[in-house]
Amino acid sequence: MRLKSRGAAVLAVAATVLSAITGIGAVSAAGTDEPAPLPQASIRHADDGAHTTVRVWSVGDPETERLREGRSYRHSALQPASRFVERGEEVTVTVPPGAPDLRVGIGLNGNYRLWNEGSHVGVREVPLSTGTTTVTAPVDGLVYLIDRASTGTSVDVDVSGGVAVPAFVLGQTTDDEFSAARDRQPDAPFLTIVGQRTFTEPQHRSFAAVPRAITERVELWDRVVSLTNAHFGLLDDAVGLARKAPQRIHIAMPDSGGGYASAGNDRVTMQIDTGAAGELLTAAPGNMWGFWHEVGHTYQTSAYNWSGMGEVVVNVSALDVQHAISGENRLDRQNVADVDAFFAEPVAERRFDAENGWVKLLMFDQLRRGFGEQFYPRLNQALRTGLALGEMTTTDNGQSKRDLFAATAGEVADRDLRPFFAQWGFALSEATTASLAQHPVLERDIWENRTSTTDVLDHDLAPYAVPVGRFVGEQPSVVVGQQHLDHDAALGDLGNTDGVGTPTPGAQRVVATAPGTGTLTATLTNALGVREVISAPLRVEPGNMLLFEGLSDRPVMRLVTDPRDGVLRLYSGTSYTSHPNWGDREYVGFELRSADDREQVGSWSVRGNENANALASGFAEEYRDGQVLVVRHAEARTRLELWTDSVLQPSDARTEQRFRIVDGRFVPLGSTPVVATPGTPVTLQRNADTPVEARLMLQEQVTSISGEAVFTAPTGTTFAADQDTLRAEVLMPGGDWARQSALDVVEAAPGGAGTTLTGRFDADDLDLPGGTLVRWSPEVHVPADAAAGGSGLRYTVTGTTDGQSIQVVS
């Protein structure tokens, strides 16, 4: 485990999380007591059952939200239409004008004896268009609508085909209405039951177990999810990493599956044959461990789920749910003798890793018992923010995660937990023990908390609240690789989810890894010490970039300059291998060399059977203006792109190409010793004289240069009078701009009614290395009746340098 400084650069692995922050839906105003409203489902069958009107919400992409929240598994994008079709039947869906991109899903998750020959077929998706779309069912299954947009809006969609099945929607359907619908269709293949946070579809053989007083049961399922949200510090009215996305948990109830019950992407499974479905439908509220456990699996964070701990740490949230619902704690009776035997051993001989899962679970629960119900919400939020900002890293699936958990637990509790972890035989690194030693000592022996009736608090953490806020105003565009705006963006509506106090804004960061849309983030910290990351989308331009493409023109990697930090940055473009035909041979690569091209600074390569993920992770190589970059691409003619100031340059078929880095640009090194290069942009004002740069770059070392320079003023302007000498300045690699009178343009004479300026220069005994910039800055006059605008004078230089002819046209 490595804790980085708060100002450290965002790691490439964190970029994905930060890019996922921008959220959806209405957010309650800071300080309100009511949570943000969740999307209200609506399913209405026609009286004859011929069609169904379904309200479909744009609830966001489940995978994006999973990454942002730091969960293990996706929650569901499916929104039930409460209709069942058999394979080969047609389903017709009518989408109103202006609706976002919707999809229809048909299928079943799990093994159902009566359907699909008893096989798991999943849910097959088909895109929908505005108007009417007819789809032939590829499998037997229920019908769903899907909207992964992030707008938080809704549309009503009409669905027909197959048979309508009885539907209960919490907040829309009464118990009596649902009972009547069931009585009208006693032979329906399924029921549809939709809560605010859950939905399920009991099949016919489970109908007898479905309570007639269904509202109370659905509210119980929803409460389990709400309590799990609270344990992980996820809030409906948060706006950043802690914001709970509105996707529901799909509870599938097939006949059979793996284990007693299971969890995975897009669903939890409570099968009938094992009794798990019966638990969900009929068990007493305090006796639903299987459901609590599987819901917890969808949430558990990898940050403290190291190897072998998956079935242990999942139960930390299940204990929290049990405690809230029944006041009980399973560990008061589970493996008590094993716990007693563990603590009877001498401390030096105790080994946490050697114990069974129920004994290990107690260590995690003792942190809640010692610091209160707010400990785990705070811990999970601290891990979310630290990992997303790149301040924390885990380098393996073992010790580094243990250290990360221990160090973060000490920071959240603000206690020296070394004695606690020592009592548990829980090995820590020297860096982690040093980190823990900085906190105040424990006031209670919290490792003695083994029975909930006698537990004592060390101290009770204050109620959990998360900062909220937003960026205001229009944000500037950025370029690939940029990590900071030139000036911090304005923030507004700053507050906290509990309505108390105003958070302190921290560092702002830009995540821009590819052209298109990037993310601007800001860190907020409240008086409780809880941090949050808020965001806004940004337009990302290519900037100065080398794009290496591979098989099927997939982007293998993007190499860019970040002049603000003086580093080269590298971003991986695909998880596919670059080009399998090249196998173990290099497909793309690059090399950074000194300005005189004599010394190699670094060399990097990606083979055909590799992608650039490992190479790009955390890549930030310092560079200096004037250094040479050697680029290799096995298929450069069609799959290597050079972008200069967001403009695509002509392609070059050479498999090895050389560039000089000048002002953050990749300038091709060709046969000519001198080239034009853009100067610093300025804005011309009416009735004013403004110096405008004309720049050259020396591609090779120069000892003498002479010739004629002709400057042409921007359209609608003239050169100011009395400019018979244009002062020269040079910028050598790694240096600063300096006066160089030997290169002054002298005897400058106006022409074309002041629109041109022509002079000569002649210099010997120079010692200017390759990569040196030369600039002159003639003053341009703008008439009072001219429109202000961007500058851009043109110039030509003709002459010789060290005996070679030169002709430069800007």
Side-chain angles (χ1 to χ4, degrees):
M1 190 274 302
R2 180 159 53 98
L3 295 177
K4 298 176 65 178
S5 67
R6 294 282 165 105
V10 178
L11 295 178
V13 70
T16 304
V17 179
L18 289 175
S19 296
I21 296 174
T22 302
I24 67 157
V27 178
S28 65
T32 60
D33 293 327
E34 295 298 322
L38 295 171
Q40 175 60 55
S42 176
I43 301 173
R44 298 191 183 277
H45 295 310
D47 290 341
D48 61 359
H51 65 92
T52 303
T53 301
V54 183
R55 181 157 300 152
V56 184
W57 288 86
S58 297
V59 295
D61 175 58
E63 178 63 12
T64 299
E65 303 294 13
R66 179 191 73 81
L67 290 169
R68 179 182 54 78
E69 295 179 17
R71 291 184 281 103
S72 287
Y73 295 126
R74 293 189 300 266
H75 290 164
S76 182
L78 304 179
Q79 299 181 55
S82 196
R83 301 191 72 87
F84 179 81
V85 293
E86 295 187 5
R87 180 170 40 209
E89 291 185 324
E90 290 187 339
V91 176
T92 300
V93 184
T94 302
V95 177
D101 291 335
L102 304 181
R103 302 175 74 85
V104 62
I106 301 171
L108 292 169
N109 283 315
N111 301 312
Y112 293 79
R113 295 169 189 165
L114 298 178
W115 313 110
N116 300 307
E117 293 76 45
S119 300
H120 166 74
V121 295
V123 176
R124 313 287 177 86
E125 296 185 19
V126 178
L128 299 172
S129 302
T130 298
T132 300
T133 303
T134 299
V135 175
T136 300
V139 293
D140 305 326
L142 290 155
V143 180
Y144 304 94
L145 282 306
I146 301 158
D147 182 356
R148 294 187 176 91
S150 303
T151 61
T153 56
S154 66
V155 294
D156 287 345
V157 175
D158 188 85
V159 185
S160 60
V163 296
V165 301
F168 173 86
V169 178
L170 187 67
Q172 181 189 80
T173 316
T174 67
D175 289 350
D176 289 343
E177 289 170 339
F178 187 49
S179 289
R182 292 172 60 181
D183 291 342
R184 287 193 299 270
Q185 289 182 268
D187 296 324
F190 288 89
L191 304 173
T192 297
I193 302 173
V194 183
Q196 285 283 17
R197 302 184 188 275
T198 57
F199 72 94
T200 189
E201 301 103 350
Q203 58 171 302
H204 187 269
R205 65 181 287 219
S206 293
F207 282 8
V210 178
R212 290 285 172 167
I214 191 63
T215 297
E216 183 178 358
R217 179 60 47 163
V218 176
E219 288 175 340
L220 175 62
W221 300 338
D222 282 356
R223 188 184 178 205
V224 169
V225 177
S226 293
L227 290 169
T228 309
N229 288 339
H231 174 88
F232 285 92
L234 296 168
L235 307 175
D236 294 327
D237 51 352
V239 297
L241 296 174
R243 177 181 57 82
K244 183 66 195 78
Q247 291 107 15
R248 292 176 173 85
I249 293 181
H250 183 195
I251 311 167
M253 284 194 285
D255 292 302
S256 60
Y260 173 76
S262 63
N265 277 324
D266 308 315
R267 65 190 179 278
V268 300
T269 303
M270 306 289 285
Q271 52 260 26
I272 296 173
D273 291 352
T274 62
E279 173 190 313
L280 182 76
L281 295 169
T282 64
N287 192 28
M288 298 177 68
W289 185 270
F291 181 51
W292 307 334
H293 176 96
E294 301 307 338
V295 168
H297 267 310
T298 72
Y299 284 80
Q300 66 187 119
T301 171
S302 67
Y304 55 99
N305 183 16
W306 54 89
S307 181
M309 295 294 289
E311 294 299 329
V312 177
V313 294
V314 63
N315 288 326
V316 181
S317 63
L319 287 173
D320 233 356
V321 173
Q322 181 185 37
H323 178 72
I325 288 178
S326 69
E328 299 177 330
N329 188 302
R330 181 168 181 167
L331 296 183
D332 287 348
R333 52 185 170 78
Q334 182 85 44
N335 288 63
V336 174
D338 292 337
V339 170
D340 290 342
F342 174 78
F343 281 101
E345 297 176 6
V347 173
E349 296 179 13
R350 297 175 192 170
R351 295 292 180 269
F352 174 85
D353 293 339
E355 296 305 311
N356 67 56
W358 294 106
V359 175
K360 292 176 180 177
L361 180 60
L362 179 61
M363 185 194 79
F364 292 92
D365 197 47
Q366 282 181 341
L367 292 168
R368 179 191 62 82
R369 301 176 190 215
F371 305 113
E373 302 301 325
Q374 309 303 316
F375 174 80
Y376 275 105
R378 287 181 177 231
L379 175 81
N380 286 297
Q381 178 66 3
L383 289 168
R384 263 192 298 272
T385 55
L387 289 167
L389 293 171
E391 298 167 353
M392 305 171 178
T393 63
T394 54
T395 56
D396 57 44
N397 198 28
Q399 188 60 46
S400 69
K401 287 188 175 182
R402 297 160 64 106
D403 286 321
L404 175 60
F405 173 78
T408 309
E411 183 175 348
V412 168
D414 193 26
R415 287 294 183 269
D416 179 359
L417 296 179
R418 288 179 298 167
F420 173 74
F421 289 116
Q423 288 284 332
W424 274 99
F426 191 85
L428 300 173
S429 69
E430 291 184 6
T432 301
T433 56
S435 171
L436 292 173
Q438 299 175 24
H439 300 294
V441 298
L442 282 163
E443 297 178 4
R444 301 278 188 168
D445 295 343
I446 61 172
W447 54 88
E448 297 292 345
N449 287 339
R450 302 173 204 167
T451 305
S452 55
T453 55
T454 59
D455 290 339
V456 294
L457 284 165
D458 180 274
H459 65 286
D460 199 2
L461 293 172
Y464 173 71
V466 177
V468 296
R470 65 184 181 90
F471 288 99
V472 297
E474 185 176 352
Q475 306 306 329
S477 63
V478 297
V479 297
V480 176
Q482 186 174 337
Q483 295 195 343
H484 309 282
L485 295 180
D486 293 329
H487 304 285
D488 277 355
L491 299 171
D493 296 336
L494 295 177
N496 285 288
T497 52
D498 62 359
V500 178
T502 302
T504 301
Q508 294 187 10
R509 290 182 172 88
V510 169
V511 179
T513 61
T517 301
T519 307
L520 172 64
T521 69
T523 304
L524 305 177
T525 306
N526 63 21
L528 302 171
V530 177
R531 294 194 301 161
E532 179 60 294
V533 179
I534 62 171
S535 71
L538 291 172
R539 187 175 75 256
V540 183
E541 304 290 350
N544 294 291
M545 175 179 72
L546 284 160
L547 171 62
F548 300 77
E549 294 179 326
L551 182 65
S552 301
D553 295 333
R554 286 189 290 259
V556 177
M557 60 188 186
R558 299 176 179 89
L559 180 66
V560 298
T561 61
D562 183 356
R564 291 166 177 82
D565 291 338
V567 295
L568 294 173
R569 300 195 190 281
L570 185 70
Y571 298 103
S572 179
T574 179
S575 59
Y576 290 94
T577 58
S578 61
H579 203 308
N581 289 356
W582 264 257
D584 204 40
R585 293 174 293 151
E586 179 186 81
Y587 183 67
V588 294
F590 59 98
E591 178 181 326
L592 184 63
R593 301 185 63 82
S594 60
D596 61 9
D597 204 11
R598 296 176 181 175
E599 179 184 354
Q600 183 189 90
V601 178
S603 183
W604 301 270
S605 183
V606 176
R607 294 176 292 189
N609 56 13
E610 296 177 323
N611 58 41
N613 291 352
L615 177 59
S617 179
F619 188 98
E621 178 70 22
E622 291 185 2
Y623 75 85
R624 294 188 301 276
D625 255 17
Q627 285 181 313
V628 174
L629 184 76
V630 180
V631 170
R632 300 180 298 276
H633 196 307
E635 298 182 295
R637 183 178 64 83
T638 56
R639 288 176 172 164
L640 177 64
E641 293 182 1
L642 169 64
W643 292 79
T644 302
D645 295 337
S646 297
V647 176
L648 180 62
Q649 303 301 304
S651 62
D652 188 329
R654 292 175 298 164
T655 58
E656 180 175 294
Q657 300 174 32
R658 305 172 79 81
F659 303 87
R660 194 177 295 281
I661 304 175
V662 180
D663 280 354
R665 301 177 180 92
F666 300 117
V667 180
L669 279 169
S671 57
T672 179
V674 182
V675 295
T677 187
T680 303
V682 298
T683 300
L684 302 178
Q685 301 292 336
R686 297 185 185 91
N687 204 29
D689 295 343
T690 306
V692 181
E693 286 187 5
R695 285 193 190 185
L696 304 179
M697 188 190 76
L698 311 181
Q699 300 212 72
E700 303 170 356
Q701 185 176 18
V702 168
T703 61
S704 67
I705 184 170
S706 62
E708 180 184 74
V710 180
F711 305 91
T712 302
T715 303
T717 71
T718 59
F719 287 109
D722 301 324
Q723 297 190 80
D724 56 349
T725 298
L726 299 181
R727 293 161 52 91
E729 295 179 298
V730 298
L731 175 64
M732 288 188 279
D736 298 315
W737 284 105
R739 181 82 168 89
Q740 179 58 270
S741 58
L743 288 171
D744 287 352
V745 172
V746 297
E747 299 178 6
T755 60
T756 64
L757 195 62
T758 303
R760 62 178 182 82
F761 56 94
D762 190 353
D764 292 314
D765 298 325
L766 299 174
D767 186 13
L768 301 178
T772 296
L773 298 179
V774 180
R775 72 180 178 188
W776 302 285
S777 300
E779 289 194 342
V780 171
H781 177 75
V782 182
D785 58 353
S791 66
L793 62 76
R794 290 171 291 129
Y795 51 96
T796 61
V797 175
T798 306
T800 61
T801 176
D802 293 334
Q804 297 185 66
S805 296
I806 59 171
Q807 184 169 15
V808 179
V809 180
S810 69

